[in-house]
Structures are given as structure tokens and as C-alpha cells.
Amino acid sequence: MDFEELLQLLEIDAPSEFVYFEQFAELVEHEEDISADAIAQLAADTDSDSLSELVDAYFEDMLNFVPDEETEVYTLIQTIGTTLAGLAGSGGDGDDESAHLFAEELVKFRNWYLFEGRVRCTDRAEGEETEMSVYEALTNVRLQNLDGGDFTYDFTDALDYTLDEYVMSLTSLLEDDYGNGDDEDEEDYHDPDDE
């Protein structure tokens, strides 16, 4: 899928309109191949703060459906999300190099999430075991929470994911987590010892 087809998929005319959670979910969950170049072009012309926030929101939502006992896959997904959010926050706004790093990491994640990562799901009532993607398993957990199904999930075979190391601005990551330090309340603060 090229850039123009990607815009059509997301139902937008320009990257500046790529601002909604549902659009990012469509980008991640669409099962057709999307080229890294198309994603990079989208990311390069998207506001970096907005893109980072979309990544954070998507991964936070995803983590809500990881079974409690699956701490390793929870940690893995959390780390992938942090990496992607950091790459998104350091790119965008026309930064082609950072946009390509983000796109390559997102393509790698999509391949693992939709196709390569395998999860064993067991229906406790029927005793049947099926194999599915990480995406399908987390979707099933979400549905199970609604309809009360009784399934167990084993993510052991999905833990094979290589995380590349990236050098990112520590300042931008801290600002994302703690604000930029320009707290209005700071102006009102005075040290009682000065009185």
C-alpha cells in the first residue's frame, strides 16, 4: 500500500488530519501490507506531539486487555509502545530520518502483532486449543470480558521480538511524562524561610 492508498484507508486528505485514536488503530490493525515508506511519509508530515500521544493512547488501551498473569508480554508491549512513542515524539514535523525509524519499527510491530506472534488459546469449557495472532488474542480477551467466555491464553511463543536500541532525546521523553516544567504554580511559590 502506497502513501495515497494509506490516506484513503485513513479517510484523510493530508497527514495533518491524522489526529484520532481510531485512525491510528486502523493503521496498526489493517491486515494488508503497508509500506514503511508510506508510513514514514505520513509520520514526517504529522505533528510529532500528536503522533506520540496517539501511540501512547493506543498502547495504553491495548495493555488493558493483556491477561494479568502474562507479565512478560505486558512488559514487552509496554516497552514497544514506549519506544514507538519516543520515536514518534522525536520525529514528525518534516524530520524524514526520525520518521523512517518510526515507520520501520511500526512495520516490525505490525508484522509481529498481526501475523508472526503466536498465542495459544484454550477454551476451558470445550477443552479445545487454537492458535492465533497477538491481535486476535487481545481482541478475544476484550470480547470475553463482555460475554463472559472462559478462555486461557499462553503468550510464550509470542515473546520472540527483537527491540532495537535508539538514542532519543531524554528531554522530550521527560517532558512527555512530566510536562515541560513551565508550571504556572511555580510563579506563586515562595520559600517561607525568605520571610
Side-chain angles (χ1 to χ4, degrees):
M1 180 179 297
D2 64 19
F3 179 63
E4 292 303 321
E5 291 169 327
L6 178 56
L7 293 182
Q8 288 176 13
L9 171 70
L10 300 174
E11 299 182 357
I12 59 177
D13 295 320
S16 60
E17 298 172 23
F18 185 61
V19 293
Y20 297 110
F21 177 93
E22 294 77 12
Q23 294 168 327
F24 188 78
E26 183 68 32
L27 172 64
V28 172
E29 297 167 8
H30 188 72
E31 294 193 356
E32 279 184 46
D33 181 57
I34 302 173
S35 76
D37 287 342
I39 295 172
Q41 191 171 348
L42 177 71
D45 294 328
T46 298
D47 177 72
S48 59
D49 290 337
S50 296
L51 184 57
S52 184
E53 288 171 13
L54 288 173
V55 173
D56 273 336
Y58 184 81
F59 277 83
E60 280 296 317
D61 182 68
M62 186 193 312
L63 288 169
N64 289 328
F65 300 100
V66 175
D68 292 341
E69 64 277 8
E70 293 291 343
T71 53
E72 286 185 80
V73 80
Y74 184 98
T75 302
L76 174 62
I77 291 172
Q78 187 176 50
T79 304
I80 296 168
T82 300
T83 300
L84 282 167
L87 289 171
S90 64
D93 307 320
D95 183 345
D96 291 340
E97 184 178 346
S98 294
H100 272 282
L101 288 175
F102 170 78
E104 288 166 9
E105 196 62 42
L106 185 61
V107 166
K108 183 169 76 171
F109 170 71
R110 288 182 74 251
N111 287 336
W112 173 79
Y113 188 49
L114 298 174
F115 309 112
E116 296 166 2
R118 306 311 296 168
V119 180
R120 290 194 299 274
C121 172
T122 304
D123 183 334
R124 285 182 173 168
E126 303 294 329
E128 294 178 7
E129 183 178 284
T130 54
E131 190 179 81
M132 59 186 62
S133 69
V134 176
Y135 168 64
E136 290 169 322
L138 296 181
T139 300
N140 277 7
V141 173
R142 186 183 304 244
L143 295 173
Q144 177 181 326
N145 290 344
L146 295 173
D147 66 19
D150 192 9
F151 299 89
T152 60
Y153 301 88
D154 182 353
F155 286 80
T156 305
D157 294 338
L159 293 173
D160 185 19
Y161 189 101
T162 304
L163 279 162
D164 294 325
E165 292 183 16
Y166 296 97
V167 177
M168 287 177 262
S169 165
L170 184 59
T171 303
S172 65
L173 290 174
L174 289 174
E175 285 179 0
D176 287 345
D177 287 341
Y178 302 107
N180 63 9
D182 296 333
D183 192 334
E184 293 176 8
D185 294 336
E186 287 181 5
E187 296 175 354
D188 299 330
Y189 175 78
H190 66 278
D191 189 335
D193 293 336
D194 291 341
E195 293 178 356

